[in-house]
Amino acid sequence: MQQVSHGPASSHCPLPAAAAATLLPPSLLRFGLESALLSALAASLHTSVTDLLAPPPSTSSSSSSAATPPPQLVRINGLLSPPVTADVAADAAAAAAAAAALVASGYTAIKVKVARRPDPAADAAVLAAVRAAVGPHVGLRADANRGWAGLEAAAAFGAAAAAAGVGLEYVEEPTADPRDMAAFYRATGGWGRVCACVCGGGLYAPAQIKRQ
């Protein structure tokens, strides 16, 4: 029988579950739990989480399977946090190399952290270098984490990204106040000119989303 230790808590988990519940929104706690369970299930089946959620198409040649359309696969983000220094060109080159490595490892979409520089146009320049490195068929997404102080900075980024031909699919949390996201969408032209915007884990209840 497997022995279970009842000794002191591991140093790898310094934050008690009760404390985490008071610091993190329910959506993030649920996401963490679901991710852990999916990882454990995939490991027990000797497969990857990707193949667990979207199994490869069957090689069967039966007529019924031939008539079934292939499933729509969800493109998983490769996460990229470019370096932030005074040398934007060097940061862009490093980000481009990192993005190319993510694509080489199998990612077909990349989410890039933005809104960490004084000039929103510098973020757009980094994204333009990433786009040049990965080509037109890789999905690019930006995550601002509400980092821009005002709507003007967020809109300036959207305009600069459009002018550089970045081709973003969306910007996540582009405004410090979620209630400004609709104004950001209108200012940047939405799908037609720049991109869409999406909410992050800070909005998790239907009533809260409706208020925004």
Side-chain angles (χ1 to χ4, degrees):
M1 179 180 295
Q2 183 180 6
Q3 294 183 346
V4 179
S5 173
H6 295 283
S10 168
S11 60
H12 296 292
C13 185
L15 186 64
T22 62
L23 296 176
L24 298 175
S27 59
L28 295 185
L29 291 174
R30 183 173 62 189
F31 171 76
L33 177 60
E34 290 176 349
S35 297
L37 291 174
L38 285 171
S39 296
L41 179 58
S44 70
L45 296 174
H46 305 288
T47 187
S48 66
V49 173
T50 300
D51 287 343
L52 179 67
L53 295 176
S58 172
T59 57
S60 171
S61 58
S62 66
S63 59
S64 60
S65 62
T68 303
Q72 296 294 316
L73 301 182
V74 176
R75 296 198 293 181
I76 305 300
N77 285 321
L79 298 178
L80 179 55
S81 295
V84 178
T85 70
D87 191 339
V88 177
D91 294 347
L102 287 172
V103 173
S105 69
Y107 286 100
T108 58
I110 299 175
K111 184 165 74 171
V112 184
K113 294 291 185 181
V114 295
R116 299 177 299 160
R117 302 172 187 274
D119 183 4
D123 279 320
V126 172
L127 282 167
V130 170
R131 171 57 77 197
V134 301
H137 302 299
V138 173
L140 282 188
R141 301 143 184 192
D143 185 2
N145 280 328
R146 306 187 188 186
W148 287 305
L151 175 61
E152 294 78 9
F157 165 78
V166 171
L168 288 175
E169 291 184 351
Y170 64 72
V171 181
E172 184 174 342
E173 295 186 315
T175 58
D177 187 338
R179 291 172 293 186
D180 289 335
M181 283 199 295
F184 168 82
Y185 182 81
R186 291 191 296 269
T188 57
W191 285 109
R193 284 171 42 204
V194 182
C195 58
C197 52
V198 299
C199 302
L203 299 181
Y204 50 85
Q208 185 184 24
I209 294 172
K210 184 177 181 180
R211 286 199 301 271
Q212 309 306 333

